[in-house]
Amino acid sequence: TEAALAGSSAFVLILLGLGVYFIMRRLSKKMDAQQSELESLNLQFGAALNNMSQGLCLFDEHSRLTIFNRRFSQLFGLPEASIQPGMTLVEVMQCCAKANGAPREIIDKIYRDRTLDIGRCQPAQYEAPPMPDGRVIAISHEPIASGGFVHTYTDITSQRRSEAQIAFMANHDSLTGLANRNLFRGRLDHALAQTG
């Protein structure tokens, strides 16, 4: 009876071992499938992020960079690896200013007067002061529920040039480039309003 008991105990242990093996194998396959799906999603996310027409930076609740895209680096002419996750917002903008030969005042104006004073809980849109090369960058600040925020950067230089050209055409003769009646009338009205 002891031999039968030992044999049946061994049989039960073998069955338990096989059961554990098959469960572990099934879990392993499931985890491999989930890992593969996660890798695929990460590739898709990376492709979408790096093919956006706007620059993008995601900051955590401590104003530290967590994610940025290739377009952001291109907009500001940043050398590869000049910015890294973990840098503060001010450090990132200092790198942008340095790469563009921008004076420190531009960065102060953008981030001290605007973003840091807005607070991280309010959305905002504004233009950065013109870059030294004349480009104009629009910045959008959007808070995130976790306490961080997203900045998107759009080069609006051609839009501003078109607006300036339209305004010039509205007030100047197209053939001679001289001021037209519309500009004269506007200036006359302004002068009369100043005197009266």
Side-chain angles (χ1 to χ4, degrees):
T1 63
E2 273 185 37
L5 189 58
S8 91
S9 293
F11 181 72
V12 169
L13 286 174
I14 290 172
L15 285 177
L16 282 173
L18 284 173
V20 168
Y21 169 77
F22 285 115
I23 289 171
M24 293 302 288
R25 188 167 177 188
R26 185 178 296 161
L27 285 174
S28 176
K29 284 182 180 181
K30 193 173 190 176
M31 287 175 60
D32 287 345
Q34 288 175 340
Q35 180 68 24
S36 177
E37 184 179 341
L38 183 61
E39 288 172 4
S40 175
L41 287 172
N42 281 337
L43 287 173
Q44 292 172 8
F45 174 72
L49 184 67
N50 285 316
N51 286 297
M52 292 175 57
S53 61
Q54 293 116 346
L56 179 135
C57 288
L58 175 66
F59 293 89
D60 67 14
E61 65 275 7
H62 305 291
S63 296
R64 295 205 171 271
L65 182 66
T66 58
I67 296 173
F68 65 98
N69 68 356
R70 189 177 333 162
R71 181 65 178 139
F72 174 76
S73 297
Q74 291 169 347
L75 272 174
F76 289 97
L78 296 171
E80 196 164 325
S82 61
I83 62 170
Q84 297 292 323
M87 294 175 73
T88 65
L89 172 66
V90 173
E91 290 169 336
V92 169
M93 288 301 104
Q94 287 172 343
C95 285
C96 293
K98 184 177 179 183
N100 287 281
R104 173 68 192 182
E105 299 81 49
I106 287 180
I107 301 310
D108 288 343
K109 176 126 179 80
I110 296 171
Y111 288 96
R112 288 222 169 79
D113 296 349
R114 304 288 181 116
T115 304
L116 298 177
D117 290 342
I118 304 170
R120 288 174 184 82
C121 60
Q122 298 176 12
Q125 276 96 35
Y126 51 92
E127 285 180 24
M131 301 295 280
D133 63 3
R135 287 181 301 128
V136 179
I137 308 291
I139 302 171
S140 174
H141 170 88
E142 290 292 330
I144 299 174
S146 67
F149 53 94
V150 175
H151 279 181
T152 54
Y153 304 84
T154 307
D155 187 340
I156 59 170
T157 308
S158 60
Q159 178 184 339
R160 290 295 175 253
R161 286 182 184 147
S162 295
E163 290 168 356
Q165 181 66 26
I166 290 169
F168 181 84
M169 289 170 42
N171 293 307
H172 295 81
D173 181 74
S174 60
L175 182 62
T176 64
L178 297 173
N180 65 15
R181 185 178 11 203
N182 188 37
L183 181 61
F184 174 73
R185 179 159 295 160
R187 287 185 178 169
L188 179 63
D189 290 344
H190 179 72
L192 289 173
Q194 295 287 332
T195 61

